[in-house]
Amino acid sequence: SQKIEQNSEALNIQEGKTATLTCNYTNYSPAYLQWYRQDPGRGPVFLLLIRENEKEKRKERLKVTFDTTLKQSLFHITASQPADSATYLCALGDTGRRALTFGSGTRLQVQP
Amino acid sequence: DTGVSQNPRHKITKRGQNVTFRCDPISEHNRLYWYRQTLGQGPEFLTYFQNEAQLEKSRLLSDRFSAERPKGSFSTLEIQRTEQGDSAMYLCASSHGQGVTGELFFGEGSRLTVL
């Protein structure tokens, strides 16, 4: 069955460092992948989209890579700030259906 | 445009009661989704509408769950004969109708607690 794995353990880093979050998937051939941020008690907020034919996407301090051979996406936040502390969700989509399939998310804690 | 609106934000009910949640999507969005999220998990897909047509339902969606989008605008999600396992955050999202990779705009969710 399709499976999306994100590190369930919280990632703790120091302010100013680069945070790297991992999203691995199996039994899936997504056409695109999205990353969302979710704060406690709030709905997820879209951050970035990357398609299967793209290797890397950037937006301000955010960078996403997508390796369809490794079946993995990496999400980087450079120069991290305490305000970046949140849960980050990856979501996979394909052209056959409209619904995204979400991973369980990784909680990031940036220490001042 | 005030974004996706969900009501009520919180609902506490006794087992066996029926509950209904409402979602008002962003006005120009013709796609609407319902997801369920439990603590420590990602959103789990329930159902999807394009305009008023319900085009996809999760196999996990019990027949106690029903969703409607009668005029292609707001949507309701009803849970009949609630069970304690239904306790979760119910998230609504909407998106543009163009393309297949559109980002989802989520509401703040409706938290259900079944006692």
Side-chain angles (χ1 to χ4, degrees):
Chain A
S1 61
Q2 297 174 346
K3 193 173 182 181
I4 302 172
E5 290 185 347
Q6 293 187 257
N7 195 340
S8 59
E9 292 183 11
L11 178 64
N12 291 287
I13 64 169
Q14 285 296 120
E15 182 176 8
K17 300 293 186 183
T18 296
T20 298
L21 286 70
T22 304
C23 176
N24 295 300
Y25 58 92
T26 55
N27 298 323
Y28 207 139
S29 296
Y32 59 95
L33 187 149
Q34 299 182 4
W35 283 87
Y36 288 78
R37 168 185 173 139
Q38 187 172 28
D39 291 287
R42 310 291 297 272
V45 175
F46 172 80
L47 296 174
L48 278 170
L49 158 75
I50 187 165
R51 295 179 172 82
E52 61 178 336
N53 60 349
E54 298 173 321
K55 295 294 184 186
E56 181 180 300
K57 272 284 199 54
R58 292 174 184 262
K59 179 182 176 182
E60 298 173 350
R61 295 185 296 113
L62 308 180
K63 184 178 84 171
V64 173
T65 63
F66 193 7
D67 189 326
T68 55
T69 300
L70 291 179
K71 295 187 181 295
Q72 179 182 79
S73 175
L74 298 179
F75 178 79
H76 307 271
I77 306 175
T78 59
S80 59
Q81 305 165 1
D84 295 326
S85 299
T87 294
Y88 291 86
L89 301 159
C90 73
L92 276 59
D94 59 51
T95 54
R97 54 192 298 261
R98 294 287 179 257
L100 292 174
T101 303
F102 283 84
S104 56
T106 298
R107 188 163 60 88
L108 172 66
Q109 189 71 36
V110 181
Q111 306 292 344
Chain B
D1 185 357
T2 58
V4 178
S5 176
Q6 291 190 245
N7 288 288
R9 292 292 312 278
H10 303 275
K11 178 71 176 179
I12 300 173
T13 191
K14 293 183 179 179
R15 188 178 52 178
Q17 298 295 305
N18 299 343
V19 296
T20 299
F21 301 115
R22 176 179 170 124
C23 172
D24 287 272
I26 293 172
S27 57
E28 63 267 26
H29 288 181
N30 66 349
R31 295 177 181 170
L32 186 146
Y33 309 77
W34 284 99
Y35 283 82
R36 175 173 62 189
Q37 187 175 28
T38 54
L39 195 62
Q41 300 299 313
E44 176 187 38
F45 170 72
L46 294 179
T47 191
Y48 156 69
F49 290 86
Q50 182 156 323
N51 299 312
E52 65 276 7
Q54 188 175 20
L55 297 184
E56 189 173 351
K57 288 172 61 174
S58 168
R59 290 171 295 169
L60 303 175
L61 201 62
S62 156
D63 58 6
R64 297 184 296 105
F65 288 68
S66 62
E68 293 183 341
R69 194 182 183 197
K71 297 182 180 179
S73 57
F74 74 91
S75 175
T76 58
L77 175 68
E78 181 184 17
I79 308 174
Q80 296 182 325
R81 305 181 302 281
T82 52
E83 302 172 355
Q84 288 184 327
D86 297 332
S87 295
M89 175 76 86
Y90 289 85
L91 292 164
C92 176
S94 67
S95 70
H96 288 288
Q98 297 181 5
V100 299
T101 60
E103 64 183 270
L104 299 185
F105 293 80
F106 281 88
E108 300 291 37
S110 293
R111 181 169 295 284
L112 173 65
T113 301
V114 181
L115 302 176

